């Protein structure tokens, strides 16, 4: 049985990486994909405004992409404490051998520079160069880190949710957020996450909202979280969210008269790139699920909800108040999103 190794940072994994991995797999019986990480990798991300992509996350993505193909194993090695490449030849080779635990017959590399001094690293292995000119996929991890949305089509599917811009549409009842969220998803040809709590009483309480308990609001928060993740997995550059855990906490206070601590665990101020906060200055519509139609009360609750976001640590610079008629609201949001993704 022949054993091959393809090593790299895969920061992040892209279609060029994946094609090379699958090609290398055709040339050996067993292929080990060895992902290298070191603390300094954080600078490669932060220097271009990219959130750090941990080695564990890269390993998960490549494992997802190759999970149904027999003979491909994904490993992670940490290079902290060793000299940087190319001075760390022996130390790095020792790390890889310790991880693979088998005799290595082939080393698959994507750049000619990796052939330099190869005899001091893996003298037992034959080095094979795969598409060094990037003739099939002309892309690099550096380019993706600099502008993931521009290079979206090169990012492997399992990694895309990490880079998608996340847009929250929020507000009190009957302010148009659900309708506009659906429209935005269609305009940008992407996915959206609907508000789970809206129909919860109908689906789980027999329509009796007086039956709400703390556990119900905890369950709504978890169902919303899972629904959000599913929408993110399907996102095309942007994903829209119709509500979040702050709104769930807000309604828990209304129905129960107290906060639900388990709901607060789902509040994440860093989760969204923009938050559009809808004002209640449009006509209140009774759809059978709403009960707060008094206009003075609508504005009072609007302020309470806004304070909940600020007190939870949401960046006020990322919160955009949206008011006016429906055409004006749509234009306000479209202009802000276009500025974000340019």
């Amino acid at each position: 049985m022949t054993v091959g190794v393809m090593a790299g940072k895969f920061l992040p994994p892209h279609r060029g990486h994946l094609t090379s991995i699958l090609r290398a797999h055709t040339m050996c019986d067993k292929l080990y994909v060895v992902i290298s990480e070191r603390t300094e990798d954080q600078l490669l991300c932060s220097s271009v405004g990219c959130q750090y992509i941990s080695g564990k996350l890269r390993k998960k993505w490549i494992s997802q992409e190759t999970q149904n193909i027999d003979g491909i194993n994904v490993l992670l090695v940490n290079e902290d404490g060793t000299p940087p490449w190319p001075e760390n030849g022996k130390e790095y080779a020792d790390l890889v051998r310790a991880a693979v635990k088998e005799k290595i017959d082939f080393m698959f590399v994507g750049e000619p520079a990796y052939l330099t001094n190869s005899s001091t690293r893996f003298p037992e292995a034959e080095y094979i160069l795969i598409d060094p000119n990037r003739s099939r996929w002309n892309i690099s991890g550096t380019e993706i880190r600099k502008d993931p949305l521009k290079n979206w089509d090169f990012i492997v599917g399992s990694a895309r949710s990490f880079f998608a811009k996340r847009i929250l549409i929020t507000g009190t009842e009957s302010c148009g957020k659900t309708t506009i969220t659906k429209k935005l998803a269609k305009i940008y040809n992407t996915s959206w996450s609907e508000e789970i709590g809206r129909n919860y009483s109908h689906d789980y309480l027999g329509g009796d909202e007086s039956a709400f308990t703390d556990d119900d609001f905890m369950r709504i928060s978890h169902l919303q979280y899972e629904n959000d993740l599913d929408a993110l997995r399907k996102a095309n550059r942007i994903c829209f969210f119709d509500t979040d855990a702050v709104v769930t906490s807000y309604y828990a206070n209304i129905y129960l008269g107290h906060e639900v601590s388990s709901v607060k665990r789902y509040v994440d101020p860093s989760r969204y790139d923009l938050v559009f906060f809808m004002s209640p200055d449009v006509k209140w519509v009774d759809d059978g699920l709403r009960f707060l139609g008094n206009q003075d009360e609508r504005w009072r609750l609007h302020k309470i909800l806004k304070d909940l976001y600020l007190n939870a640590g949401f960046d006020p610079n990322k919160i955009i108040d949206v008011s006016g008629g429906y055409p004006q609201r749509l234009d306000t949001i479209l202009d802000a999103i276009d500025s974000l993704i340019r």
Side-chain angles (χ1 to χ4, degrees), residues 218 221-223 225 245-246 262-268 271:
M218 182 276 291
S221 298
H222 185 73
L223 290 172
Y225 179 79
V246 174
S262 58
V263 172
K264 286 194 167 185
R265 294 202 300 267
Y266 291 90
V267 174
D268 184 0
R271 184 173 177 82

Side-chain angles (χ1 to χ4, degrees), residues 167-226:
I167 312 296
L168 172 63
I169 314 294
T170 188
T172 55
E173 68 174 28
S174 194
C175 57
K177 62 187 182 68
T178 296
T179 299
I180 205 165
T181 301
K182 293 177 182 178
K183 289 180 177 179
L184 291 167
K186 291 186 178 298
I187 289 170
Y188 289 95
N189 190 30
T190 190
S191 56
W192 67 287
S193 178
E194 65 180 342
E195 181 182 2
I196 295 297
R198 178 174 174 79
N199 297 311
Y200 185 91
S201 66
H202 175 273
D203 296 340
Y204 298 100
L205 303 178
D208 181 4
E209 295 177 345
S210 68
F212 270 121
T213 66
D214 287 27
D215 286 345
D216 287 310
F217 283 99
M218 182 276 291
R219 187 160 185 253
I220 289 171
S221 298
H222 185 73
L223 290 172
Q224 190 70 59
Y225 179 79
E226 292 295 334

Side-chain angles (χ1 to χ4, degrees), residues 31-193:
L31 177 70
Y32 287 93
V33 181
V34 180
I35 300 167
S36 301
E37 72 166 348
R38 60 169 63 230
T39 301
E40 288 83 353
D41 291 346
Q42 297 183 33
L43 297 176
L44 296 176
C45 296
S46 62
S47 64
V48 292
C50 177
Q51 182 182 348
Y52 175 55
I53 310 166
S54 69
K56 184 175 288 188
L57 194 52
R58 287 173 260 159
K59 181 178 185 295
K60 181 174 76 171
W61 290 338
I62 294 179
S63 296
Q64 289 175 349
E65 295 296 330
T66 60
Q67 65 179 336
N68 295 319
I69 303 174
D70 293 336
I72 298 181
N73 304 276
V74 186
L75 305 173
L76 175 64
V77 298
N78 187 287
E79 297 182 42
D80 285 345
T82 68
W85 189 89
E87 289 80 20
N88 67 341
K90 182 179 183 306
E91 294 88 348
Y92 177 70
D94 289 343
L95 287 173
V96 172
R97 287 194 187 92
V100 172
K101 297 182 176 64
E102 295 190 60
K103 179 181 176 296
I104 300 172
D105 300 294
F106 304 107
M107 288 295 299
F108 299 100
V109 296
E111 297 182 24
Y114 292 126
L115 299 176
T116 306
N117 299 324
S118 59
S119 61
T120 65
R121 294 183 173 86
F122 299 93
E124 72 276 22
E126 176 185 350
Y127 274 68
I128 298 178
L129 196 59
I130 296 183
D131 198 14
N133 298 319
R134 299 173 184 161
S135 58
R136 186 169 295 278
W137 305 112
N138 187 22
I139 192 62
S140 68
T142 301
E143 292 174 80
I144 291 175
R145 292 193 302 272
K146 287 181 179 177
D147 196 339
L149 297 191
K150 177 182 177 182
N151 297 294
W152 184 263
D153 290 339
F154 292 110
I155 302 171
V156 296
S158 57
R160 289 180 177 175
S161 62
F162 179 88
F163 297 100
K165 295 298 183 183
R166 305 173 186 197
I167 312 296
L168 172 63
I169 314 294
T170 188
T172 55
E173 68 174 28
S174 194
C175 57
K177 62 187 182 68
T178 296
T179 299
I180 205 165
T181 301
K182 293 177 182 178
K183 289 180 177 179
L184 291 167
K186 291 186 178 298
I187 289 170
Y188 289 95
N189 190 30
T190 190
S191 56
W192 67 287
S193 178

Side-chain angles (χ1 to χ4, degrees), residues 147-150 163-167 188 236-240 273-274 334-342:
D147 196 339
L149 297 191
K150 177 182 177 182
F163 297 100
K165 295 298 183 183
R166 305 173 186 197
I167 312 296
Y188 289 95
N236 176 24
R237 294 176 173 83
I238 308 173
C239 190
F240 295 98
D273 296 283
L274 280 179
L334 292 178
D335 289 345
I337 293 175
D338 289 345
S339 296
L340 176 68
I341 64 177
R342 282 197 185 109

Side-chain angles (χ1 to χ4, degrees), residues 274-292:
L274 280 179
V275 176
F276 293 104
F277 196 75
M278 312 293 282
S279 296
D281 56 345
V282 290
K283 182 180 179 181
W284 184 80
V285 178
D286 185 1
D287 65 352
L289 296 173
R290 296 168 178 158
F291 59 93
L292 300 170

